[in-house]
Amino acid sequence: MVETSQYASTTKYIVKAHFEVQGVVEKPDVVGAVFGQTEGLFGPDLDLRELQKNGRIGRIEISLESKKDLTTGAIVIPSSLDKVSTAIIAAAIESVDRIGPCEAKISLEKVEDVREAKRQSIMTKAKDILRKWVVESSPSTEEVVKDVAQSLRGIDIIEYGPDKLPAGPEVEGGTLVLVEGRADVILLMKCGVKNVIALNGTKVPDTIIKLTKDKEVTAFLDGDRAGDLILKELQQVADIDYVARAPYGREVEELTPKEVLRLLRERVPINQARPVERSGERQDYQRQDNRGPQRPERSERPYFERRGPPMRDRERDREREPQQGPQREPFELPPQPTAAQPIIAPTEKVQLPAPIGEAAKELRGTLEARIFDETGKEVARIPVSELAEKIPSMDNAHTVVFDGVVTQRLLDLAASKNVKFLIGDRVSDLAKKSDKLSVMTMDDIAA
C-alpha cells in the first residue's frame, strides 16, 4: 500500500482500487490497460494522459503479486481535481476489464480525502500544543497569591552612594525625583515612581549634587518652611529642573497616591518656583489692604492712650466729683495672651505600655498608624493617609502611634476626640502645644 504522505502538497484526493487478473501480468500491463481503456471516454478534459501532463493527476502507483496463475494488486492514483472529476476518474478505472491478454476485474476501495487526514493531524498537534501551553504557562493558585502579595509589600529600597541615601531601584535612570526623607521614598514607590532618592536631611549631600548634573531632576518637597529652605539650598548647589510642592502645612508622606501623581504632573520649572503659599498670611495681607491704615494694636499704643489720663488729672477729677457710694477701682487691661509656643519634645523618655513601645519600633518605614485604647489594647490599624479621615469617628482612642509627621491638623483632630498621646515619627515646626494631649516622637518612648 502506498502512503499518502509521498504525494505533492497539491494533492486533494487519493483513488485506491483493487484488481484481480486471471493470469500472469506485470506493472506495465496494468498501467497500459488503465490509460488505453479510459482514453477518449470523456474527451480531453478528463483524459488521464492529458491530466498527468498538466499535473492534475499524479503518478499512478501499482503493486501486484502473482500466485497459481492469479495476479492481484492495488492501484493508487493521486488527484488534484475537484470531487466530481475525481469521482468520474474513479468510475472510469473500474470499467477496465482486461489487463494484457487476460481478463481482469478492478473494484474501487475508496477515495481518500488527503485534506481530511491533514486536518486531523493539525487538530491532534493543536491539542498537544494547547495542553503543554496550559500546563507550562498557567501559574498555580499559590504562585498567583504569592506574586500579588509580593507586589503589595515588596518595596525594595536600596542605599545609594557613599552617603547611603534611601532610593528606588531605578535611581540610575535618565530622570530623577528628589524627596526629603525615607518615608517619602516608600510612598512614591508605592505609587509606581521608582526613580526616586531622598536627601535624608536638610543639608544637600555631595551624592545628590553629583547625581543631578546630567539628569532631569524634579524636587518634590514638603509644604513647610523646611521645604522652602531646602529649595533655596538646592537652587544654590544642585542642578534642579523642576519643583513640586505638597500643600501648605502638609508633608509629602501624608499625601494620597492620587495627590502625589497630580502634584508631580503640576510641577513647575525651577525658575518659576516660589515659597509654598501660606493661605493665612495672604488673607491677613488682603484684609489689611482693604481696610486702609490700621489703628495700632493696644500693646503698641503709647502708654497714655492705654492707661488713661495722668494720675494728677484723675485725682483732680475725683475731688470735683460728689463722694457718693463706693469708689470704683481704676480700669486695668487684662493680660495680653502670649503666642502659642512650638512643641518641644520631652528630654526624658515616657514609659508607656509595652504594646505601644513595640508598635513604635515596628511602624518605622511602613506609613501606617496604630490606635490603642486606655488599657493599651490595639483597636485599629490603618494607613497614615487615612488617619485624618478616621480620627473623627473614633470614640475609644487613647494613644495614636503612626509613621508620619505630627501636623497641626492631626493635633486638633486628636484633641477633639480626647486622645491623650499622639506619637509620630517627627513633629512639624508649625504644630503648637496643646493642654489636652501629649505630643511625642517615637524616639521619646522608653524601650
Side-chain angles (χ1 to χ4, degrees):
M1 187 66 65
V2 179
E3 297 294 334
T4 60
S5 60
Q6 73 184 72
Y7 301 111
S9 59
T10 57
T11 301
K12 297 181 182 178
Y13 307 102
I14 301 293
V15 178
K16 295 182 178 181
H18 177 76
F19 66 89
E20 292 183 358
V21 180
Q22 299 296 328
V24 178
V25 296
E26 296 180 349
K27 289 183 180 181
D29 298 328
V30 179
V31 174
V34 171
F35 278 103
Q37 296 184 38
T38 58
E39 184 177 4
L41 288 177
F42 301 105
D45 292 339
L46 291 176
D47 185 76
L48 287 178
R49 295 184 186 275
E50 294 297 326
L51 292 174
Q52 200 170 46
K53 290 180 182 179
N54 297 333
R56 307 300 301 277
I57 291 293
R59 180 183 177 184
I60 298 177
E61 299 288 343
I62 304 296
S63 63
L64 53 80
E65 182 182 8
S66 296
K67 288 182 179 180
K68 298 180 182 180
D69 200 27
L70 179 66
T71 303
T72 59
I75 302 174
V76 178
I77 303 176
S79 170
S80 60
L81 299 170
D82 56 32
K83 286 184 176 181
V84 176
S85 300
T86 301
I88 293 173
I89 294 298
I93 297 299
E94 274 196 324
S95 68
V96 176
D97 55 1
R98 294 187 68 82
I99 296 178
C102 307
E103 294 183 359
K105 181 180 179 181
I106 299 178
S107 56
L108 181 69
E109 289 185 353
K110 66 176 179 179
V111 179
E112 182 179 313
D113 189 342
V114 176
R115 294 173 300 176
E116 179 63 27
K118 191 174 183 179
R119 280 194 292 268
Q120 291 295 332
S121 176
I122 292 174
M123 290 175 61
T124 302
K125 184 63 176 178
K127 292 176 183 178
D128 185 54
I129 292 172
L130 182 60
R131 188 180 302 108
K132 291 181 179 179
W133 188 5
V134 171
V135 171
E136 295 176 0
S137 64
S138 297
S140 64
T141 304
E142 294 181 358
E143 293 175 342
V144 172
V145 172
K146 182 179 179 180
D147 187 48
V148 174
Q150 185 66 25
S151 67
L152 292 176
R153 63 174 181 268
I155 306 299
D156 298 326
I157 294 181
I158 65 174
E159 293 182 347
Y160 184 81
D163 301 304
K164 296 185 178 181
L165 302 178
E170 299 178 7
V171 68
E172 293 284 358
T175 60
L176 185 67
V177 178
L178 182 61
V179 294
E180 295 186 23
R182 181 185 178 88
D184 301 338
V185 174
I186 295 175
L187 176 60
L188 264 68
M189 289 185 63
K190 287 184 177 180
C191 298
V193 182
K194 298 183 179 180
N195 54 333
V196 58
I197 190 170
L199 292 168
N200 218 19
T202 56
K203 179 175 176 56
V204 180
D206 292 337
T207 302
I208 296 296
I209 297 174
K210 295 178 182 178
L211 195 61
T212 59
K213 288 183 178 180
D214 55 352
K215 297 179 182 293
E216 179 186 294
V217 183
T218 299
F220 194 8
L221 306 175
D222 295 341
D224 54 14
R225 185 172 179 272
D228 293 340
L229 296 177
I230 292 175
L231 176 59
K232 288 182 180 180
E233 185 176 356
L234 287 172
Q235 290 174 320
Q236 295 175 9
V237 300
D239 187 5
I240 306 297
D241 300 290
Y242 299 95
V243 177
R245 299 295 300 273
Y248 175 65
R250 297 183 66 186
E251 312 287 333
V252 171
E253 62 197 71
E254 297 177 337
L255 303 176
T256 63
K258 184 177 181 180
E259 291 175 325
V260 168
L261 298 178
R262 177 178 60 81
L263 291 171
L264 286 176
R265 287 195 301 267
E266 296 174 355
R267 63 183 185 173
V268 297
I270 186 67
N271 57 354
Q272 299 179 16
R274 299 291 182 271
V276 69
E277 181 180 329
R278 293 165 172 79
S279 57
E281 292 181 3
R282 184 179 64 174
Q283 293 173 0
D284 293 342
Y285 178 77
Q286 292 176 345
R287 285 199 298 268
Q288 184 175 355
D289 288 347
N290 294 335
R291 291 185 297 180
Q294 298 297 309
R295 185 180 182 185
E297 295 294 333
R298 176 174 295 177
S299 59
E300 299 176 357
R301 297 182 201 165
Y303 177 78
F304 64 86
E305 289 187 24
R306 290 186 284 120
R307 306 288 293 188
M311 182 63 69
R312 287 178 296 178
D313 295 340
R314 283 187 288 171
E315 292 178 353
R316 185 167 56 250
D317 293 339
R318 281 200 300 270
E319 292 175 356
R320 295 177 181 175
E321 293 177 359
Q323 302 295 327
Q324 295 180 359
Q327 298 297 317
R328 303 176 65 182
E329 295 294 333
F331 175 74
E332 293 291 342
L333 290 174
Q336 296 296 317
T338 58
Q341 299 298 320
I343 294 176
I344 302 176
T347 57
E348 297 183 358
K349 293 187 176 182
V350 179
Q351 187 69 42
L352 292 175
I356 298 176
E358 294 174 359
K361 296 178 182 178
E362 296 172 359
L363 285 177
R364 287 189 182 276
T366 63
L367 294 180
E368 291 185 344
R370 298 171 68 175
I371 295 91
F372 298 86
D373 60 13
E374 190 172 359
T375 63
K377 178 183 178 182
E378 182 177 330
V379 296
R381 184 167 185 163
I382 58 177
V384 170
S385 58
E386 300 177 8
L387 186 57
E389 179 183 351
K390 299 291 185 181
I391 284 181
S393 61
M394 296 178 181
D395 295 328
N396 58 341
H398 181 270
T399 303
V400 177
V401 186
F402 67 102
D403 179 35
V405 181
V406 178
T407 62
Q408 186 63 44
R409 181 188 179 200
L410 286 177
L411 195 151
D412 294 339
L413 290 172
S416 66
K417 299 303 293 183
N418 296 324
V419 174
K420 299 304 179 184
F421 293 95
L422 186 60
I423 305 169
D425 183 55
R426 59 190 178 94
V427 181
S428 173
D429 296 338
L430 302 175
K432 308 301 180 182
K433 285 184 177 179
S434 175
D435 297 332
K436 295 184 178 181
L437 77 166
S438 298
V439 178
M440 296 178 291
T441 66
M442 296 180 182
D443 296 331
D444 300 326
I445 301 177

